[in-house]
Amino acid sequence: MSEDSGPARAPSGTHDVLWPESTRWESVLALFAGHVERAGYGLAHTPMFEDVRVFRRGIGEGSDVVGKEMYEFEDRGGRTLALRPEGTAPMVRAFVQHRPPLPWKAWYATPAFRYERPQAGRYRQHHQVGVEALGSEDPDLDVEVVALADGFFRSVGLSSFGLRLNSMGDEVCRPGYLDILRAYLDSRRAELCGEHGQRLEANPLRALDCKRPECLAATADAPALVDHLCEPCRLHFERVCAGLRALGVPFTFDHRLVRGFDYYTRTTFEFSSEALASAQNGIGGGGRYDGLVEMLGGSPTPGIGFGLGIERLLLACDAEGVFPVDPIPLDAYVVDVTGGQSARDLTAALRRAGLRADRAFDGRSMKSQLKSADRSGAQVAVIIGPDELAAGTVSLRPMRGGGEQRTVPRAGLVDAVGELTGHRAIDPPPTVSGVP
Ligand SMILES: [Zn+2]
Ligand SMILES: [Zn+2]
């Protein structure tokens, strides 16, 4: 908080997720967990910050994420640490450290931190879910991971999205291709945008990825990496494409799809929503990173993964009108005008039985409590006035969909509410720690 007077506010570029919007977040996480755990991926939690070298080595110093956007700081012990800007490098660091049996299939849900210019759909703290699969270079694993992402988007109800696919080659074939691309772009250097005309030598791939019209025009006929793959990479890519076709996962080939991190090899893919404006329409993606484990000091181990941003996913859902905010209502709201002890005991009894129950505090009037009961969305109001208290009963007033008010013995309350709401017992809501 600054020393300026005035109410405290969240830092620029961050956002709060409050109820009822937060119920969608719970559902996203529960759906994702169910979806990927059915495919054998287990949850892993890693720290919010890592030694900065985990990201410098893995993602690359030349990338915007590491060069311009990372939250780096020195701790009191003089170590240089960074808040995680993405999900993959920390998972691979954990793999290198713990050496779990192969293949290692893990999923995560985590905030990610990047010092970006705040704008719609971009945050300095955003939230990602993703999977990583280490220990196999089988193209069927690529197919599994891409299909898993595709299936997840469909399971939240999205249908207007596309999948683009490319191969980044490997250390055998990529250097030769980069020379060819560099020579091609060098002859058009004047046509490239200012940034990429200058950075050609360091990384000519970035010009392919550039969205500025100058670069788009100058690279329209640029040589494509897929035409220069070595034989093993070419066969691998063919098997991935064939596998996706066999599983009915639609995709298009895109030679411009070169993701910004140095660690990608071979398969790379991205999903974009057709319902969002094109500058902000990426809803998830990933790729193979067969060199990353070695970069982080482990023995050579291939890997592939994908990640998606929850904020962007929900924007895409809103744009398509699917996956609405749909909080589960309370079963009962206890209205007690006899001092509150009955409300205390009856809400406790209802909750113990697995029902959702709430009450008013501070001895408010009947009218005010009934208003709260209505606003809460509860299906039934449980009313205790002096008559009910004296008779050992409660009155049940249906708040939704009509029905008569009736009086039942206090001891029969749980069964009566269960009957009225159709909820004998409710599973506790799924929650995942580490994400709001
Ligand atoms: Zn450019
Ligand atoms: Zn190759």
Side-chain angles (χ1 to χ4, degrees):
M1 202 170 19
S2 75
E3 284 178 272
D4 297 345
S5 55
R9 294 184 60 84
S12 176
T14 67
H15 66 118
D16 302 311
V17 182
L18 306 183
W19 192 90
E21 171 68 10
S22 56
T23 60
R24 283 214 293 185
W25 287 60
E26 287 185 87
S27 302
V28 166
L29 291 169
L31 269 172
F32 191 81
H35 189 72
V36 300
E37 285 174 2
R38 277 199 296 283
Y41 292 76
L43 176 62
H45 285 303
T46 64
M48 227 40 81
F49 53 86
E50 296 274 353
D51 187 309
V52 73
R53 288 170 294 187
V54 168
F55 305 112
R56 286 202 185 135
R57 284 189 208 157
I59 302 172
E61 307 259 13
S63 68
D64 282 355
V65 167
V66 168
K68 298 179 190 167
E69 296 167 358
M70 208 155 58
Y71 278 89
E72 276 183 54
F73 61 98
E74 199 169 289
D75 74 2
R76 291 168 194 274
R79 301 167 194 89
T80 307
L81 303 170
L83 297 182
R84 53 194 309 169
E86 55 97 50
T88 297
M91 293 286 278
V92 172
R93 192 274 308 146
F95 170 82
V96 167
Q97 183 172 340
H98 302 288
R99 299 197 228 176
L102 298 177
W104 188 56
K105 292 166 71 170
W107 73 275
Y108 60 84
T110 180
F113 305 87
R114 295 184 193 177
Y115 195 81
E116 296 195 83
R117 206 158 46 84
Q119 53 181 306
R122 280 204 192 280
Y123 296 100
R124 290 182 176 168
Q125 176 178 333
H126 77 280
H127 299 84
Q128 295 186 351
V129 291
V131 302
E132 311 297 346
L134 286 111
S136 171
E137 52 178 11
D138 191 324
D140 281 353
L141 182 59
D142 304 44
V143 173
E144 171 177 297
V145 167
V146 177
L148 209 54
D150 179 80
F152 177 68
F153 290 128
R154 291 181 199 286
S155 75
V156 297
L158 292 176
S159 55
S160 297
F161 64 89
L163 164 62
R164 289 170 303 128
L165 192 69
N166 195 12
S167 174
M168 303 278 293
D170 61 5
E171 75 287 351
V172 174
C173 51
R174 191 158 47 182
Y177 166 74
L178 289 181
D179 288 341
I180 293 168
L181 180 64
R182 213 175 271 122
Y184 179 89
L185 293 177
D186 193 39
S187 67
R188 285 164 180 74
R189 188 185 289 264
E191 299 163 41
L192 296 171
C193 79
E195 184 182 357
H196 296 115
Q198 275 171 22
R199 286 170 64 185
L200 201 52
E201 278 69 27
N203 194 344
L205 287 174
R206 299 264 149 76
L208 280 186
D209 199 24
C210 180
K211 306 287 188 289
R212 296 191 188 103
E214 306 94 289
C215 279
L216 281 174
T219 59
D221 297 316
L225 216 168
V226 281
D227 296 328
H228 298 270
L229 294 176
C230 63
E231 194 58 9
C233 285
R234 194 184 61 75
L235 287 174
H236 192 272
F237 192 54
E238 268 175 18
R239 283 275 308 277
V240 174
C241 295
L244 290 174
R245 283 188 202 105
L247 293 189
V249 176
F251 65 91
T252 55
F253 166 69
D254 182 1
H255 81 283
R256 289 182 181 281
L257 182 61
V258 287
R259 292 170 64 83
F261 299 166
D262 288 355
Y263 58 58
Y264 284 113
T265 54
R266 292 190 169 171
T267 308
T268 177
F269 59 97
E270 216 162 87
F271 291 86
S272 8
S273 166
E274 283 144 18
L276 294 176
S278 64
Q280 301 277 324
N281 68 354
I283 51 174
R288 194 164 261 291
Y289 44 80
D290 292 345
L292 182 55
V293 175
E294 245 180 311
M295 286 181 202
L296 295 180
S299 47
T301 311
I304 180 168
F306 84 86
L308 65 94
I310 295 177
E311 287 86 351
R312 195 71 72 78
L313 172 75
L314 292 178
L315 281 179
C317 288
D318 289 341
E320 282 200 41
V322 298
F323 204 63
V325 176
D326 191 16
I328 301 170
L330 289 177
D331 292 300
Y333 195 98
V334 180
V335 172
D336 176 2
V337 290
T338 66
Q341 290 89 340
S342 291
R344 178 193 64 204
D345 298 345
L346 294 177
T347 47
L350 288 162
R351 290 167 186 169
R352 269 198 302 272
L355 295 162
R356 294 166 186 262
D358 202 0
R359 54 164 293 193
F361 293 95
D362 301 318
R364 289 153 49 203
S365 70
M366 170 81 90
K367 191 178 162 201
S368 158
Q369 291 192 45
L370 279 172
K371 213 164 151 189
S372 296
D374 187 44
R375 207 168 36 217
S376 76
Q379 302 202 47
V380 57
V382 177
I383 300 168
I384 304 106
D387 294 348
E388 284 90 352
L389 187 64
T393 60
V394 295
S395 291
L396 299 183
R397 181 184 297 181
M399 304 293 284
R400 301 279 176 273
E404 294 289 299
Q405 176 167 325
R406 64 193 175 101
T407 300
V408 300
R410 206 170 152 119
L413 171 67
V414 165
D415 285 345
V417 170
E419 230 163 75
L420 266 173
T421 62
H423 293 160
R424 281 278 150 187
I426 300 168
D427 291 331
T431 55
V432 177
S433 59
V435 169

